[in-house]
mmCIF file of all heavy atoms in Angstrom:
data_model
loop_
_atom_site.group_PDB
_atom_site.id
_atom_site.type_symbol
_atom_site.label_atom_id
_atom_site.label_comp_id
_atom_site.label_asym_id
_atom_site.label_seq_id
_atom_site.Cartn_x
_atom_site.Cartn_y
_atom_site.Cartn_z
ATOM 1 N N LEU B 307 -4.758 27.052 -6.775
ATOM 2 C CA LEU B 307 -5.342 25.802 -7.259
ATOM 3 C C LEU B 307 -6.814 25.704 -6.867
ATOM 4 O O LEU B 307 -7.173 25.905 -5.701
ATOM 5 C CB LEU B 307 -4.574 24.606 -6.684
ATOM 6 C CG LEU B 307 -3.059 24.639 -6.954
ATOM 7 C CD1 LEU B 307 -2.365 23.513 -6.218
ATOM 8 C CD2 LEU B 307 -2.778 24.567 -8.447
ATOM 9 N N TYR B 308 -7.629 25.396 -7.847
ATOM 10 C CA TYR B 308 -9.063 25.217 -7.621
ATOM 11 C C TYR B 308 -9.529 23.911 -8.260
ATOM 12 O O TYR B 308 -9.033 23.541 -9.332
ATOM 13 C CB TYR B 308 -9.854 26.360 -8.268
ATOM 14 C CG TYR B 308 -9.646 27.694 -7.614
ATOM 15 C CD1 TYR B 308 -8.633 28.547 -8.047
ATOM 16 C CD2 TYR B 308 -10.454 28.114 -6.562
ATOM 17 C CE1 TYR B 308 -8.418 29.774 -7.434
ATOM 18 C CE2 TYR B 308 -10.256 29.345 -5.952
ATOM 19 C CZ TYR B 308 -9.244 30.165 -6.385
ATOM 20 O OH TYR B 308 -9.050 31.377 -5.779
ATOM 21 N N PRO B 309 -10.478 23.253 -7.644
ATOM 22 C CA PRO B 309 -11.069 22.089 -8.317
ATOM 23 C C PRO B 309 -12.032 22.556 -9.398
ATOM 24 O O PRO B 309 -12.678 23.600 -9.249
ATOM 25 C CB PRO B 309 -11.834 21.384 -7.189
ATOM 26 C CG PRO B 309 -12.151 22.465 -6.207
ATOM 27 C CD PRO B 309 -11.032 23.460 -6.294
ATOM 28 N N THR B 310 -12.139 21.815 -10.481
ATOM 29 C CA THR B 310 -13.222 22.022 -11.434
ATOM 30 C C THR B 310 -14.427 21.246 -10.890
ATOM 31 O O THR B 310 -14.320 20.557 -9.870
ATOM 32 C CB THR B 310 -12.848 21.458 -12.809
ATOM 33 O OG1 THR B 310 -12.595 20.056 -12.670
ATOM 34 C CG2 THR B 310 -11.605 22.136 -13.365
ATOM 35 N N LEU B 311 -15.538 21.347 -11.583
ATOM 36 C CA LEU B 311 -16.706 20.562 -11.153
ATOM 37 C C LEU B 311 -16.362 19.083 -11.153
ATOM 38 O O LEU B 311 -16.706 18.338 -10.227
ATOM 39 C CB LEU B 311 -17.887 20.832 -12.084
ATOM 40 C CG LEU B 311 -18.619 22.166 -11.869
ATOM 41 C CD1 LEU B 311 -19.762 22.307 -12.868
ATOM 42 C CD2 LEU B 311 -19.153 22.268 -10.439
ATOM 43 N N LYS B 312 -15.668 18.687 -12.217
ATOM 44 C CA LYS B 312 -15.217 17.301 -12.334
ATOM 45 C C LYS B 312 -14.322 16.915 -11.153
ATOM 46 O O LYS B 312 -14.426 15.805 -10.609
ATOM 47 C CB LYS B 312 -14.397 17.215 -13.640
ATOM 48 C CG LYS B 312 -14.294 15.879 -14.300
ATOM 49 C CD LYS B 312 -13.616 16.076 -15.673
ATOM 50 C CE LYS B 312 -12.834 14.887 -16.145
ATOM 51 N NZ LYS B 312 -11.970 15.210 -17.317
ATOM 52 N N GLY B 313 -13.466 17.845 -10.747
ATOM 53 C CA GLY B 313 -12.562 17.595 -9.623
ATOM 54 C C GLY B 313 -13.309 17.498 -8.305
ATOM 55 O O GLY B 313 -12.977 16.686 -7.439
ATOM 56 N N ARG B 314 -14.346 18.334 -8.186
ATOM 57 C CA ARG B 314 -15.162 18.277 -6.973
ATOM 58 C C ARG B 314 -15.896 16.943 -6.891
ATOM 59 O O ARG B 314 -15.974 16.315 -5.845
ATOM 60 C CB ARG B 314 -16.158 19.449 -6.993
ATOM 61 C CG ARG B 314 -17.234 19.453 -5.929
ATOM 62 C CD ARG B 314 -16.700 19.505 -4.511
ATOM 63 N NE ARG B 314 -15.785 20.575 -4.235
ATOM 64 C CZ ARG B 314 -16.049 21.677 -3.520
ATOM 65 N NH1 ARG B 314 -17.242 21.841 -3.006
ATOM 66 N NH2 ARG B 314 -15.121 22.573 -3.316
ATOM 67 N N GLU B 315 -16.390 16.511 -8.025
ATOM 68 C CA GLU B 315 -17.117 15.234 -8.049
ATOM 69 C C GLU B 315 -16.198 14.057 -7.728
ATOM 70 O O GLU B 315 -16.589 13.136 -7.008
ATOM 71 C CB GLU B 315 -17.768 15.026 -9.420
ATOM 72 C CG GLU B 315 -19.123 15.699 -9.526
ATOM 73 C CD GLU B 315 -19.479 16.073 -10.964
ATOM 74 O OE1 GLU B 315 -18.952 15.439 -11.903
ATOM 75 O OE2 GLU B 315 -20.269 17.024 -11.143
ATOM 76 N N LEU B 316 -14.988 14.116 -8.248
ATOM 77 C CA LEU B 316 -14.041 13.028 -7.950
ATOM 78 C C LEU B 316 -13.719 12.990 -6.456
ATOM 79 O O LEU B 316 -13.701 11.923 -5.837
ATOM 80 C CB LEU B 316 -12.760 13.201 -8.766
ATOM 81 C CG LEU B 316 -11.671 12.152 -8.507
ATOM 82 C CD1 LEU B 316 -12.181 10.740 -8.796
ATOM 83 C CD2 LEU B 316 -10.410 12.433 -9.333
ATOM 84 N N ALA B 317 -13.501 14.163 -5.886
ATOM 85 C CA ALA B 317 -13.199 14.229 -4.451
ATOM 86 C C ALA B 317 -14.332 13.611 -3.635
ATOM 87 O O ALA B 317 -14.086 12.862 -2.678
ATOM 88 C CB ALA B 317 -12.969 15.673 -4.028
ATOM 89 N N LEU B 318 -15.551 13.904 -4.040
ATOM 90 C CA LEU B 318 -16.704 13.352 -3.327
ATOM 91 C C LEU B 318 -16.789 11.845 -3.490
ATOM 92 O O LEU B 318 -17.033 11.111 -2.529
ATOM 93 C CB LEU B 318 -17.997 13.995 -3.839
ATOM 94 C CG LEU B 318 -18.328 15.347 -3.236
ATOM 95 C CD1 LEU B 318 -19.470 16.010 -3.987
ATOM 96 C CD2 LEU B 318 -18.697 15.173 -1.754
#
Side-chain angles (χ1 to χ4, degrees):
Chain B
L307 305 173
Y308 292 90
T310 60
L311 283 180
K312 205 172 151 192
R314 171 61 53 106
E315 275 153 25
L316 178 59
L318 278 169

